[in-house]
Amino acid sequence: MPAPTADAPDAPARTPVHPVDEKLPALKMATSGLQHVAAMYAGVVAPPLIVGAAIGLSARDLTFLTGACLFTAGLATFLQTLGIWKIGARLPFVNGVTFAGVAPMTAIVASTKDKSDALPVIFGAVIVAGLLGFLCAPLFCKAIRFFPPVVTGSVITLIGVSLLPVAFGWAQGPNPAAHDYGSATNLTLAGITLLLVLLLRRFTRGFVKQIAVLIGLVLGTLVAIPFGATDFGPVADADVVGFPTPFHFGAPQFQVAAILSMCVVMVVCMTESTADMLALGEIVERPADERTIAAGLRADTLGSALSPLFNGFMCSAFAQNIGLVAMTRIRSRYVVAAGGGFLVLMGLCPAAASLIAVVPRPVLGGAGVVLFGSVAASGIQTLVRAGLDKDNNVLIVAVSLAAGIIPITAPEFYHAFPETARIVLDSGISTGCVVAVALNLLFNHIGKGQDAEDVTHPMESGTEIAEAAQPAPTH
């Protein structure tokens, strides 16, 4: 065989595939996708359980509504990760039922005389809000230039901090009214699960290390069996097959008050999704530009508009799964699409959906500490690059974090405000995001104020610091 000559053409170089677009082996894809389902399952099923209980649905209808929300969450995740046309951010983004809509939906239930009309009214309002949001997505995404690292870092940190109380609540148990809520047994199970995840992350390598959360959930569930904390009843009672028949609860009804309240929720969801996309873009090292955000918002809003057709609620990006991406470093969007496939299957097979429900809530809480804490850590990493050597940026971070933490530390702080205002104010992520954007405009866009080169203490004047920084006279 002749040796290659200098004149021989080089072999065409392969274009490297970005980790976001990487297709992993089937087993790794499936197990990693299941991790995402496990991380977001409780968040998806909580809204239908709360709203269904408020309406007084039968156990069978409640199971149907929960399965429908899992099914529509899978469809919305497909739209976001795989995308069609100009729809979908094509990032490893999980979409599901947003918790922001729970308060207005229960308010709609309370104001509806005939409870059988409550779900049709909610579905009609969600359809209209979703379609309006879809039309507004190209305009909403123009705000990206107002999200520099000082803003995105603050918001990402708030996402993690806001989610941690959810993990703490899970660790105490599923029912705050139960006698064993916050018991030593529940907290011990959460601690064991947390310890297992940490040990797996510390002493394993490769694929096992990447699915440490999933293994921790399985082992934690097994540990919980002798304590009597694992309930296999949902598996025994669930049907094998069940399709979410369109308009199972009746044709949608359109009431102005309900539509307005859900439009407010849609604005909140679009704000949080924008922040989430910026956060995830930083984590996967594919920054979300204006086009990506517009496509992602179209997926959110279209998924929301289609969801009621199959008896689901408004859909939005799930921040808790960002922590899983940050921790595992598995950035493939096809992994999350696989998770969406599992959600669709669970919606079609209630028995399969019930398997995730077997995982005790304290076990989920132990794993959640790692997941949600990872989000906050990613925000701190972004803030490091935000130029915190400037006084203005320090103030932006300080005040926006304080505003965002209010709903966490003082849940009744805004109790005297109207319900529509509380939809925004009670979301620390949304409030912190609005404050961060506004302060960034004030300090870094409006006027030509100059930033100080050194950070001064808030209680000290800049001149005093400057004088202190002068070199001492020589003798």
Side-chain angles (χ1 to χ4, degrees), residues 16-399:
V17 177
H18 194 282
V20 169
D21 299 317
E22 185 180 5
K23 295 181 179 179
L24 306 180
L27 178 61
K28 189 173 184 179
M29 192 96 71
T31 51
S32 300
L34 275 174
Q35 278 199 132
H36 281 282
V37 174
M40 56 93 72
Y41 178 84
V44 172
V45 301
L49 290 176
I50 294 171
V51 175
I55 296 172
L57 294 180
S58 65
R60 190 172 187 84
D61 279 343
L62 196 58
T63 300
F64 181 92
L65 184 63
T66 303
C69 287
L70 289 168
F71 179 78
T72 54
L75 296 182
T77 299
F78 284 152
L79 274 178
Q80 195 67 270
T81 54
L82 304 179
I84 54 172
W85 185 57
K86 296 181 179 180
I87 301 170
R90 293 169 173 82
L91 289 171
F93 232 15
V94 174
N95 270 39
V97 179
T98 174
F99 208 87
V102 170
M105 285 193 293
T106 52
I108 292 171
V109 172
S111 64
T112 305
K113 293 183 179 179
D114 187 351
K115 299 306 179 188
S116 63
D117 291 333
L119 283 175
V121 170
I122 290 172
F123 292 152
V126 172
I127 290 173
V128 175
L131 292 176
L132 290 176
F134 184 85
L135 295 175
C136 294
L139 299 176
F140 201 91
C141 71
K142 300 290 184 183
I144 186 173
R145 67 191 186 94
F146 301 120
F147 287 83
V150 67
V151 173
T152 57
S154 300
V155 174
I156 297 168
T157 304
L158 277 175
I159 290 172
V161 173
S162 298
L163 288 170
L164 280 171
V166 176
F168 301 150
W170 289 347
Q172 295 178 83
N175 183 9
H179 70 279
D180 63 343
Y181 187 74
S183 66
T185 298
N186 288 345
L187 297 183
T188 299
L189 289 174
I192 290 173
T193 305
L194 173 60
L195 180 62
L196 287 170
V197 173
L198 294 176
L199 291 176
L200 286 166
R201 290 288 298 177
R202 174 62 182 87
F203 295 107
T204 61
R205 294 183 180 180
F207 181 53
V208 174
K209 183 176 182 177
Q210 291 175 329
I211 63 168
V213 173
L214 182 60
I215 297 174
L217 289 173
V218 173
L219 294 177
T221 302
L222 294 176
V223 170
I225 293 176
F227 292 91
T230 305
D231 180 15
F232 292 95
V235 179
D237 299 336
D239 294 330
V240 177
V241 179
F243 184 78
T245 311
F247 302 128
H248 174 81
F249 296 99
Q253 300 178 24
F254 303 95
Q255 295 184 5
V256 175
I259 290 172
L260 289 176
S261 65
M262 296 313 293
C263 283
V264 173
V265 175
M266 179 56 71
V267 172
V268 172
C269 291
M270 293 174 75
T271 302
E272 292 190 359
S273 288
T274 298
D276 289 345
M277 277 183 270
L278 292 167
L280 187 59
E282 291 286 337
I283 290 170
V284 302
E285 298 177 356
R286 179 183 278 182
D289 56 14
E290 188 175 302
R291 181 183 300 178
T292 301
I293 292 175
L297 292 177
R298 288 191 188 100
D300 269 5
T301 53
L302 181 61
S304 295
L306 294 176
S307 183
L309 302 181
F310 298 99
N311 313 284
F313 297 143
M314 186 176 291
C315 295
S316 181
F318 264 54
Q320 50 261 55
N321 291 82
I322 297 176
L324 191 57
V325 174
M327 193 191 73
T328 64
R329 303 304 295 167
I330 298 178
R331 295 176 278 179
S332 171
R333 60 191 173 102
Y334 296 104
V335 164
V336 177
F342 284 118
L343 289 171
V344 169
L345 289 176
M346 286 191 293
L348 298 175
C349 178
S354 63
L355 289 174
I356 298 292
V358 168
V359 179
R361 201 63 60 84
V363 173
L364 280 175
V369 171
V370 178
L371 295 177
F372 306 155
S374 297
V375 178
S378 297
I380 294 171
Q381 288 176 333
T382 303
L383 286 174
V384 170
R385 307 194 306 269
L388 294 185
D389 56 331
K390 306 290 179 64
D391 257 356
N392 290 351
N393 287 346
V394 171
L395 289 174
I396 293 170
V397 174
V399 178

